[in-house]
Amino acid sequence: LVAEAKCLIASTYFNMFRHYGGLPIITGSFSGLDGSYNLPRASVENTVKFMVGLLDDASKTSSLPWSFTSDEATSEVGHWTKAGAMALKCKILQFAASPLFNDTKGYYGGSTEAEKDSLVWYGGYRAELWAQCKQACADFFTQLNANGGYALTQPSAKTQEAYRYADR
């Protein structure tokens, strides 16, 4: 359950990250009596490291299975797998390496306060971000080839409806 919680936290952070960039990093709970919840917004780089770290921790444990058998799938619907954690890591790194966050110039020209503080981009282009994404994808496909359990559903015909059903 701890590994699944880490995946859920990373997934929720990613849903916000893609719209807002750097986010406040919350690593514990609040008692309600603390009086101050003033957490600074982290940089894009630190937010990505936080999400990837959660997914790496989750996928390195033996508590997440790679996939579920067809018998398990009916009772385990909605549970995270190691494959899911690794795939989300690939998606996060691809998004972070994209020109939205990784470019020679910020989206608004680099003049806003958020751009100057690297809250909405990396502050410049970094080719190594694409290399990290490529390595994460290679690791995923190595595990996929070793463990199987997943395949693309092919359409039954070359019609719009068949492609739609295969995508579902």
Side-chain angles (χ1 to χ4, degrees), residues 80 98 127 152:
W80 279 86
S98 75
L152 292 176

Side-chain angles (χ1 to χ4, degrees), residues 17 26 41 44 52 66 81 89-90 98 114 136 149 157:
F17 168 77
I26 300 171
R41 190 172 168 188
V44 164
V52 167
W66 173 255
T81 61
K89 177 181 175 180
C90 294
S98 75

Side-chain angles (χ1 to χ4, degrees), residues 12-164:
T12 302
Y13 262 83
F14 175 67
N15 287 335
M16 293 184 293
F17 168 77
R18 62 190 185 150
H19 296 289
Y20 302 112
L23 301 164
I25 305 296
I26 300 171
T27 57
S29 61
F30 297 100
S31 69
L33 303 172
D34 298 335
S36 176
Y37 303 110
N38 188 14
L39 295 172
R41 190 172 168 188
S43 67
V44 164
E45 182 174 11
N46 288 338
T47 303
V48 170
K49 284 180 181 178
F50 177 69
M51 293 183 290
V52 167
L54 289 170
L55 294 169
D56 284 344
D57 288 349
S59 63
K60 288 178 184 170
T61 67
S62 60
S63 61
L64 284 182
W66 173 255
S67 64
F68 295 112
T69 65
S70 58
D71 293 336
E72 294 172 325
T74 55
S75 64
E76 301 295 335
V77 170
H79 286 275
W80 279 86
T81 61
K82 181 177 181 177
M86 292 180 77
L88 181 58
K89 177 181 175 180
C90 294
K91 185 175 181 178
I92 289 169
L93 291 174
Q94 179 191 22
F95 215 91
S98 75
L100 181 60
F101 296 106
N102 182 33
D103 205 349
T104 56
K105 189 167 105 175
Y107 188 77
Y108 287 108
S111 60
T112 66
E113 185 178 333
E115 288 175 309
K116 290 176 185 174
D117 292 338
S118 298
L119 303 177
V120 293
W121 74 313
Y122 277 96
Y125 181 77
R126 297 183 186 178
E128 69 270 11
L129 296 174
W130 285 111
Q132 290 172 1
C133 177
K134 182 179 177 183
Q135 185 59 53
C137 292
D139 294 344
F140 172 80
F141 282 109
T142 298
Q143 289 292 316
L144 179 63
N145 290 334
N147 298 307
Y150 297 94
L152 292 176
T153 302
Q154 300 299 320
S156 57
K158 291 193 174 199
T159 64
Q160 184 178 7
E161 183 179 29
Y163 279 101
R164 186 175 69 241

